[in-house]
Amino acid sequence: MSELGFVKDGALLFSEGRVAAAGPRESVLRHPQAASAAVYDAGGRLVLPGFVDSHTHPVFAEPRLRDFESRLQGKSYAQIQEEGGGIFSSVAAVRAASQEALAARFAVQARRFLECGTTTIEAKSGYGLDLESELKMLRALRAGAGASGLEAVATFLGAHAIAPEYRDRPDDYVALVCERMIPAVAREALARYVDAFCEAGYFSAAQVERLFAAATSAGLGLRVHAEQLSHGGGARIAAKFKAASADHLDHADDADIEALRAAGTIATLVPGANHFLGLDAFPPARRMIERGLAVALATDFNPGTCPCWNMQQVLSLAATRMRMSAQEAIVAATINGACALGLGSTHGSLEPGKAADAAVFDCEDPRELAYWFGANLATAVFKRGELVAGEKALKK
Ligand code: NIG
Ligand code: FE
C-alpha cells in the first residue's frame, strides 16, 4: 500500500477516454499519437489518478443543521436518532422532494466532487425507506450523474434504518426490502450493490444475512456499514459472503480484520465521519495494514455525519488521526477505492488501457496532499480524457 509508482518528470497520453501511454516524459512523447495530441502542461505539478470515493450518501434534500446544533449541545448521534432526527430527518425531506429536485441538487454536488479531484464515486440511496422513494433516489442519482460528468456507482441502501412505519415490526421491514425493494432495484438495473447498516438499533447481523442472501440472488454485489458505533457483527457477515467492502470498522477486532483479509473484502475507512462527530477514537488503520488487509479511504459524504466531499481532507485525517503515510492514503483513495467498487482493472491508476481520469494538484510532492489541510489543491481535473474542472487552458 505504500508503492505509488511515482514518476518524476512524467507525462500521460490520453486517447478516446483512456490512457494510451504513461511514464517518463521522453518515452511518452515518442508514442506515435503524441505529435497530434492537444497538450496540457501541468508545469511540474503533481498528477494523480482521479480519486475514487467509494462510500458516499450524496442524494439528499437538505443539510441537517438542527442535528448539528443538538450535537454541539452535547447530544450523541444515537440520541438524536432516538428523538426522530438523524437519518429520519433526511427521510422526511427526501420523501417530500421530487426526483427532479433531488437530481438537480445532486448535479451541484457532483461538480464539487469533480472540482476537488474526485472522478468516480459510489453513491447510496437510503433516505427513502419505502419502495417509491428509494427508486426515486436512485433514478435521481442516475439523471444527476449523467448530466455532470461524474461517474457514480449506485448502491441500494434500503436497509439504512428501519422505516418509521415499521418501527414495531422490524422483521417485516427487512422482508419488504428483501422481497420487494431489492428485486425492483435489480429489475431496473438501478444499483450495482446492496448495503446495510449493521448496528444496534438498526439491523442485526442475522437481518444483514437475510439482506445479503436476497441481494446475491438478485445478482447484486455486497457492502456493509459495520462496527461503526459498536461491535455489531457486520464484518464477520461481510467476510462470510465475501462482500466487496466493509466500511467504518471503528470497533473491528483482530478476528474481524483476519476474516476480512482472508475473504478479500476491502476495509473502507471514513475518518471524516469520526472527525465531524467529534470522536476521539479512529478506526485501527495501522493494525489493518500491518495485518495485510487492504484499506480504502472514502469521504462518507452525507448530511448527518460527514458533510465533506473533499478527499484531500480525508487524506489529511488519515495521516494525522490514523497514522497512514501519505503514500498509503493516496493508494487507499485511488486504486483501493476502485477495487472496492469492482473497478480495479479499469480505474484508480494511470496505466495504459485504463480510464483517463486524472487530477492535477498545485504541489510537487505527493506527501503535500496529506500535509496542507482544509484546502482544495486540485487545479485541473480530467474525466475520460476531458477537462471537466479547473483550468481551461488546453493548448494545441
Ligand atoms: O455512514 N452509518 C450510517 N450511515 C451514515 C450516516 C447517515 C446519516 O446520518 O444520514 C454514515 O455515517
Ligand atoms: Fe455511510
Side-chain angles (χ1 to χ4, degrees):
M1 283 195 59
S2 51
E3 282 290 317
L4 282 190
F6 186 65
V7 178
K8 221 168 154 46
D9 294 321
L12 291 160
L13 178 67
F14 295 159
S15 172
E16 293 175 358
R18 290 168 191 249
V19 177
R25 208 173 120 84
E26 295 313 315
S27 73
V28 171
L29 288 179
R30 280 198 297 272
H31 189 283
Q33 283 175 307
S36 58
V39 175
Y40 178 87
D41 182 357
R45 287 173 295 178
L46 177 67
V47 181
L48 290 181
F51 293 124
V52 180
D53 185 349
S54 57
H55 181 144
T56 83
H57 308 245
V59 182
F60 55 86
E62 294 168 358
R64 293 223 297 266
L65 301 176
R66 208 163 334 131
D67 290 7
F68 181 49
E69 283 186 324
S70 300
R71 245 197 347 274
L72 301 186
Q73 286 157 8
K75 290 197 177 152
S76 70
Y77 183 72
Q79 275 172 316
I80 292 168
Q81 176 83 3
E82 275 157 27
E83 291 169 7
I87 291 171
F88 294 135
S89 347
S90 292
V91 170
V94 162
R95 285 181 177 180
S98 70
Q99 184 180 312
E100 293 68 31
L102 292 174
R105 208 180 162 104
F106 173 74
V108 171
Q109 193 51 51
R111 286 237 43 88
R112 294 172 171 161
F113 279 105
L114 287 168
E115 281 162 7
C116 289
T118 297
T119 45
T120 302
I121 63 167
E122 180 262 14
K124 304 174 197 294
S125 67
Y127 293 130
L129 308 187
D130 63 37
L131 177 63
E132 277 315 311
S133 308
E134 285 292 313
L135 296 179
K136 176 174 72 180
M137 282 186 79
L138 292 168
R139 291 178 189 136
L141 171 69
R142 178 171 288 179
S148 71
L150 178 68
E151 186 169 349
V153 175
T155 293
F156 167 64
L157 179 56
H160 198 186
I162 302 289
E165 303 75 23
Y166 286 80
R167 195 187 161 94
D168 301 322
R169 41 192 188 111
D171 280 326
D172 290 354
Y173 183 66
V174 174
L176 177 73
V177 174
C178 292
E179 290 159 25
R180 300 260 336 265
M181 296 195 200
I182 289 174
V185 166
R187 235 184 343 265
E188 233 183 282
L190 280 169
R192 227 181 278 174
Y193 289 96
V194 167
D195 192 347
F197 188 14
C198 186
E199 183 67 54
Y202 294 81
F203 296 88
S204 67
Q207 290 171 327
V208 172
E209 284 212 52
R210 284 166 59 196
L211 291 155
F212 275 10
T216 304
S217 43
L220 298 171
L222 308 173
R223 41 204 332 112
V224 62
H225 285 68
E227 333 304 351
Q228 179 184 4
L229 307 172
S230 63
H231 192 272
R236 231 71 67 83
I237 306 299
K240 179 172 168 188
F241 281 79
K242 298 200 182 321
S245 177
D247 301 33
H248 287 278
L249 298 172
D250 299 63
H251 296 272
D253 59 24
D254 286 350
D256 295 326
I257 291 174
E258 174 50 26
L260 293 172
R261 189 203 59 76
T265 298
I266 290 184
T268 301
L269 307 183
V270 293
N274 298 61
H275 172 73
F276 187 72
L277 290 175
L279 305 181
D280 294 326
F282 280 71
R286 281 258 61 84
R287 254 184 124 64
M288 292 171 175
I289 293 170
E290 275 151 20
R291 282 155 197 255
L293 174 58
V295 168
L297 284 169
T299 56
D300 194 12
F301 176 68
N302 76 77
T305 65
C306 190
C308 170
W309 54 83
N310 186 350
M311 283 291 280
Q312 297 160 67
Q313 177 68 52
V314 173
L315 298 194
S316 160
L317 290 170
T320 57
R321 304 309 307 269
M322 302 199 295
R323 293 193 300 109
M324 288 174 70
S325 69
Q327 291 85 346
E328 288 169 339
I330 290 169
V331 166
T334 55
I335 185 68
N336 284 12
C339 289
L341 295 181
L343 299 175
S345 59
T346 51
H347 292 61
S349 62
L350 292 167
E351 296 173 80
K354 290 184 111 177
D357 296 355
V360 182
F361 296 95
D362 195 12
C363 59
E364 292 175 11
D365 187 310
R367 290 173 297 182
E368 290 183 76
L369 270 195
Y371 170 81
W372 308 109
F373 75 96
N376 176 20
L377 294 178
T379 55
V381 182
F382 295 84
K383 179 67 189 170
R384 299 238 174 237
E386 299 290 328
L387 186 68
V388 287
E391 293 174 348
K392 296 279 173 270
L394 256 191
K395 293 177 229 147
K396 188 68 189 160

